[in-house]
């Protein structure tokens, strides 16, 4: 019993209560939420797919079924469930804020699962708790400041961000007269916290202004401490951006550009190389996540700063930093090579990665970089194969497969989940390509495709949508394509199942690459789903054939409208 999750035990209790009440899932959704649209969430709960649901997110169900507190506590005790302290506290002290955020999430993502809603609220509660703690930890013992801090915490609990900012601004005024370093730290902490508040409410421009002015307080007193604050903020913005579909990389980039102009950084080769390396990473991520024309400028900046970092010679103790910089530059050159089909860029990238690979063998202290080096090498070889299109393409493909396989093993040695997942996804892509090179009826080819599906599915498990949404969407898109290809190759009763799974994978990708944010990707996904309905119509007989064709036409038309609005050719639609 102790091995079962709280969600499984509670789900069984809900199922028992619902059946005892003579209700269907549809009826329970109507009674609890006033809408049948939430039927899916009841199904999730009863199937135990949400390991530790927060009771507030399912309170209407508990109330409707008359489940007692004692019964819920028994489930928690038997499962040894651990409460989420941040979310519990947020529901107690900032219920209005959490409820408002939940409504916004459900409005933006009406098809989200209960697990996704629960995880989203936990993340926001954690952010709220961090911001509240930062307000509380603002230094100062005078009664006026204590009152302002208490009022700001109360305003934050109610989600009144403007009031939080007004109170923090008033607190900031308390430090204008004293310009000692101790007072500057207090002043900067408040200003930076105001930036956190602006970022939480979605105003990135204002957040940057607060961050910049906050670190500038140190310039006349201690530039080393100024640099430390810039670095800390930039790292936080970068890591948050990697896990967001609407990243604010420009904040980190503009702050780091201030950093590299500080005198003590410019005159210290090691410090300058480290700052430029991080700046190159920021710009490369901006390039990968930016669908606009500014993307090429971001890539140029990524190469510029990565090259400065990679030029640093250093000592043996700096090997980790040196290899990291070379891998960063190689990845940027690979991106440019793929965009411009430059043989020189991709050759240089492969040379950098191979030299890094050999350097790691001689220096065990830096071996933790092996998964990154090997995965990037595999990606560079795949890019070389596309650019060069030489006669030894199959040999290059095998070399890339080996590099990705080695990356998986290295990632397992160092428990590097992110690289493990990326390498698994890349292996899945190669296996699918090898399968497509064989005759559709070849059993070996079908097995290769099964392996590809397995590898992609494993990768998806390492990219939960709330942590790495972009990678999650890419992996789901690739999985949808392979499932569709496998259905066509099988030409058996199982084909329909694989087509259905392909639609699910594509729809998950479309939830990440929305029409508003990534219109071309979204339109391409619609055309692929349209192809699936068209394929299905040709496979079966019956009343659903006409409906399949009508659905396919609607999806093609929606995709075509988007392509037309982007001045792209309508033949981008994939028609089966």
């Amino acid at each position: 019993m102790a091995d079962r999750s709280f969600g499984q035990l509670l789900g069984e209790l809900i199922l028992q209560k619902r059946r005892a009440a003579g209700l269907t899932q549809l009826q329970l959704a109507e009674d609890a939420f006033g809408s049948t649209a939430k039927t899916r969430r009841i199904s999730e709960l009863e199937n135990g797919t949400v390991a530790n649901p927060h009771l507030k997110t399912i309170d209407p169900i508990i109330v409707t079924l008359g489940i007692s507190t004692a019964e819920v506590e028994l489930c928690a005790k038997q499962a040894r469930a651990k409460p989420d302290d941040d979310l519990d506290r947020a529901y107690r002290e900032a219920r209005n804020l959490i409820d408002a955020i939940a409504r916004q999430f459900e409005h933006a993502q009406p098809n989200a699962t209960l697990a996704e809603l629960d995880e989203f609220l936990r993340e926001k509660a954690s952010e709220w708790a961090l911001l509240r703690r930062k307000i509380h930890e603002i230094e100062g013992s005078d009664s006026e400041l204590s009152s302002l801090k208490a009022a700001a915490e109360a305003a934050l609990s109610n989600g009144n961000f403007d009031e939080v900012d007004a109170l923090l601004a008033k607190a900031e005024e308390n430090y204008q007269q004293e310009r000692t370093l101790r007072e500057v730290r207090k002043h900067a902490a408040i200003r930076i916290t105001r930036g956190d508040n602006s970022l939480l409410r979605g105003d990135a421009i204002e957040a940057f202004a607060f961050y910049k002015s906050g670190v500038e307080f140190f310039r006349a007193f201690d530039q080393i401490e100024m640099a430390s604050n810039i670095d800390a903020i930039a790292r936080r913005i970068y890591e948050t951006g990697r896990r967001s579909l609407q990243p604010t990389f420009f904040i980190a980039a503009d702050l780091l550009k201030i950093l590299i102009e500080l005198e003590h950084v410019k005159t210290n080769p090691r410090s300058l190389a480290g700052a430029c390396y991080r700046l190159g990473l920021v710009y490369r991520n901006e390039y990968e996540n930016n669908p606009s024309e500014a993307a090429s400028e971001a890539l140029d900046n990524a190469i510029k700063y990565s090259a400065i970092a990679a030029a640093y010679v250093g000592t043996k103790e700096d090997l980790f930093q040196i290899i990291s910089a070379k891998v960063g530059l190689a990845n940027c050159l690979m991106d440019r090579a793929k965009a411009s089909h430059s043989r020189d860029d991709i050759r240089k990238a492969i040379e950098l990665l191979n030299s890094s690979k050999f350097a790691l063998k001689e220096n065990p202290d830096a071996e933790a970089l092996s998964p990154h080096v090997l995965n990037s090498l595999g990606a560079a070889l795949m890019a070389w194969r596309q650019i060069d299109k030489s006669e030894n393409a199959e040999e290059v493909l095998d070399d890339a497969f080996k590099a990705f396989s080695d990356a998986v093993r290295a990632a397992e040695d160092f428990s590097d989940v992110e690289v493990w997942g990326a390498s698994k996804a890349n292996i899945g892509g190669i296996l699918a390509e090898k399968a497509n090179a064989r005759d559709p009826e070849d059993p070996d080819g079908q097995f290769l495709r099964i392996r590809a599906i397995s590898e992609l599915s494993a990768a998806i498990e390492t990219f939960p949508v709330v942590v790495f949404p972009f990678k999650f969407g890419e992996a789901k898109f690739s999985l949808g394509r392979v499932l569709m290809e496998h259905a066509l190759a099988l030409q058996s009763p199982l084909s329909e199942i694989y087509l259905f799974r392909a639609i699910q994978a594509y729809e998950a990708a479309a939830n990440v690459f929305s029409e508003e944010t990534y219109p071309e990707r979204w339109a391409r996904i619609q055309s692929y789903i349209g192809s699936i309905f068209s394929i299905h119509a040709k496979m079966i007989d019956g009343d659903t054939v006409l409906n399949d064709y009508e659905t396919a036409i609607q999806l093609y038309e929606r995709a075509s409208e988007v392509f037309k609005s982007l001045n792209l050719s309508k033949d981008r639609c994939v028609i089966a």
Side-chain angles (χ1 to χ4, degrees):
M1 185 68 74
D3 292 333
R4 303 175 67 190
S5 71
F6 172 62
Q8 289 174 316
L9 294 170
L10 184 60
E12 291 178 2
L13 179 61
I14 289 172
L15 175 62
Q16 293 170 6
K17 292 284 186 177
R18 175 176 65 78
R19 288 177 172 172
L23 297 173
T24 65
Q25 290 183 345
L26 204 66
Q27 290 170 328
L28 178 55
E30 181 68 33
D31 291 347
F33 298 105
S35 169
T36 58
K38 301 294 176 64
T39 305
R40 179 184 179 186
R41 294 190 176 173
I42 294 168
S43 177
E44 289 179 75
L45 286 167
E46 292 184 353
N47 290 329
T49 57
V50 186
N52 189 25
H54 196 280
L55 295 178
K56 292 297 183 180
T57 61
I58 58 172
D59 188 60
I61 297 172
I62 292 174
V63 172
T64 301
L65 293 176
I67 296 174
S68 68
T69 301
E71 289 174 309
V72 173
E73 290 177 348
L74 180 60
C75 291
K77 182 178 180 181
Q78 290 176 332
R80 296 180 183 175
K82 296 181 179 179
D84 187 299
D85 293 335
D86 284 339
L87 191 53
D88 284 346
R89 186 173 186 181
Y91 266 113
R92 289 196 310 272
E93 301 179 17
R95 181 63 183 268
N96 291 341
L97 172 63
I98 295 298
D99 285 346
I101 288 175
R103 287 193 297 271
Q104 292 172 6
F105 178 88
E106 294 198 284
H107 177 74
Q109 302 190 54
N111 296 323
T113 66
L114 179 60
E116 289 168 352
L117 170 62
D118 209 63
E119 185 64 28
F120 177 81
L121 291 180
R122 292 174 194 275
E123 181 180 349
K124 289 300 176 183
S126 178
E127 292 177 14
W128 167 82
L130 176 61
L131 180 54
R132 187 181 188 277
R133 186 164 61 252
K134 292 183 72 173
I135 292 173
H136 183 73
E137 291 174 353
I138 292 173
E139 294 183 14
S141 58
D142 62 276
S143 58
E144 182 180 359
L145 179 60
S146 297
S147 298
L148 289 170
K149 287 164 54 180
E153 290 178 19
L156 179 64
S157 295
N158 289 319
N160 297 329
F161 297 109
D162 289 336
E163 185 180 351
V164 173
D165 185 65
L167 290 163
L168 290 173
K170 189 173 181 180
E172 182 183 350
E173 293 173 3
N174 293 343
Y175 297 120
Q176 292 295 338
Q177 295 181 354
E178 297 290 335
R179 298 296 292 177
T180 64
L181 184 56
R182 180 179 178 184
E183 296 303 315
V184 166
R185 290 192 187 107
K186 298 175 185 178
H187 198 170
I190 296 172
R191 187 64 64 90
I192 292 169
T193 302
R194 291 177 69 185
D196 293 342
N197 179 64
S198 297
L199 200 61
L200 182 58
R201 72 176 173 188
D203 193 337
I205 300 296
E206 184 179 73
F208 171 70
F210 282 135
Y211 291 141
K212 182 176 183 294
S213 59
V215 298
E216 285 290 347
F217 290 147
F218 292 100
R219 186 180 289 274
F221 302 95
D222 190 334
Q223 289 197 13
I224 293 178
E225 190 158 351
M226 179 180 178
S228 177
N229 276 271
I230 290 174
D231 190 56
I233 298 170
R235 285 177 187 272
R236 179 156 51 89
I237 297 298
Y238 169 70
E239 289 299 332
T240 301
R242 292 176 64 228
R243 292 159 173 79
S244 172
L245 279 175
Q246 295 180 315
T248 52
F249 290 121
F250 81 90
I251 295 177
D254 288 350
L255 287 173
L256 287 170
K257 283 193 288 187
I258 296 172
L259 176 64
I260 63 175
E261 291 302 320
L262 294 178
E263 191 63 28
H264 84 278
V265 174
K266 286 197 298 184
T267 57
N268 185 321
R270 188 178 192 277
S271 297
L272 180 62
C276 286
Y277 166 69
R278 292 191 293 280
L279 191 50
L281 285 180
V282 170
Y283 273 122
R284 182 174 185 245
N285 276 269
E286 183 178 342
Y287 167 75
E288 290 182 333
N289 288 273
N290 191 347
S292 71
E293 295 178 358
S296 60
E297 181 181 353
L299 181 56
D300 289 341
N301 282 324
I303 293 173
K304 170 186 172 182
Y305 291 109
S306 296
I308 295 173
Y312 174 61
V313 179
T315 65
K316 186 176 181 180
E317 287 69 30
D318 297 322
L319 186 65
F320 193 97
Q321 177 178 327
I322 293 169
I323 293 179
S324 295
K326 288 183 177 181
V327 174
L329 177 58
N331 287 334
C332 293
L333 291 171
M334 177 170 53
D335 288 339
R336 188 168 69 181
K338 289 190 287 189
S340 63
H341 300 282
S342 168
R343 286 180 169 82
D344 289 339
D345 278 344
I346 197 62
R347 285 195 192 101
K348 180 63 175 176
I350 293 173
E351 288 173 6
L352 284 168
L353 291 166
N354 274 323
S355 66
S356 297
K357 176 183 173 182
F358 291 126
L360 288 175
K361 291 181 179 179
E362 299 175 0
N363 297 274
D365 292 342
E367 278 188 335
L369 289 171
S370 295
H372 300 270
V373 173
L374 292 165
N375 185 59
S376 291
L377 178 59
L381 289 168
M382 291 296 289
W384 168 253
R385 183 169 173 269
Q386 292 298 316
I387 294 167
D388 186 66
K389 299 186 183 300
S390 62
E391 293 181 359
N392 65 339
E394 191 65 28
E395 181 181 340
V396 175
L397 188 67
D398 290 338
D399 288 343
F401 185 86
K402 183 180 185 305
F404 289 134
S405 299
D406 289 344
V408 167
R409 286 189 288 273
E412 289 169 352
D413 290 340
F414 293 98
S415 298
D416 193 327
V417 176
E418 185 178 348
V419 176
W420 188 87
S423 301
K424 282 281 187 178
N426 289 325
I427 290 172
I430 291 178
L431 290 170
E433 185 174 341
K434 285 179 173 288
N436 290 339
R438 296 174 179 265
D439 186 278
E441 297 182 1
D442 184 348
D444 290 340
Q446 292 180 10
F447 181 57
L448 283 170
R449 202 171 282 110
I450 287 292
R451 288 174 61 193
I453 292 169
S454 176
E455 297 288 348
L456 287 166
S457 297
I460 288 168
E461 289 302 311
T462 69
F463 303 141
V465 69
V466 294
V467 179
F468 290 105
F470 193 86
K471 291 182 178 180
F472 175 87
E474 290 280 13
K476 279 288 188 181
F477 180 85
S478 298
L479 179 60
R481 186 65 183 267
V482 179
L483 288 166
M484 182 171 69
E485 291 167 349
H486 193 57
L488 288 170
L490 284 179
Q491 292 295 319
S492 74
L494 287 174
S495 295
E496 189 170 11
I497 296 174
Y498 281 104
L499 289 177
F500 177 71
R501 289 177 61 192
I503 291 175
Q504 289 181 316
Y506 278 133
E507 287 179 340
N511 286 334
V512 174
F513 303 118
S514 68
E515 183 177 4
E516 295 76 18
T517 309
Y518 297 91
E520 183 178 356
R521 287 173 183 247
W522 181 87
R524 185 169 291 280
I525 291 170
Q526 303 311 305
S527 70
Y528 275 118
I529 298 175
S531 291
I532 292 174
F533 277 99
S534 178
I535 292 167
H536 186 256
K538 296 173 184 177
M539 290 173 53
I540 63 170
D541 295 319
D543 297 336
T544 64
V545 172
L546 182 59
N547 183 63
D548 281 346
Y549 279 125
E550 289 175 347
T551 302
I553 291 170
Q554 290 173 3
L555 290 164
Y556 288 143
E557 288 177 342
R558 291 174 68 188
S560 180
E561 289 172 3
V562 173
F563 289 136
K564 184 177 179 181
S565 70
L566 296 172
N567 293 320
L568 298 173
S569 173
K570 290 183 180 180
D571 63 11
R572 287 176 181 258
C573 283
V574 181
I575 301 177

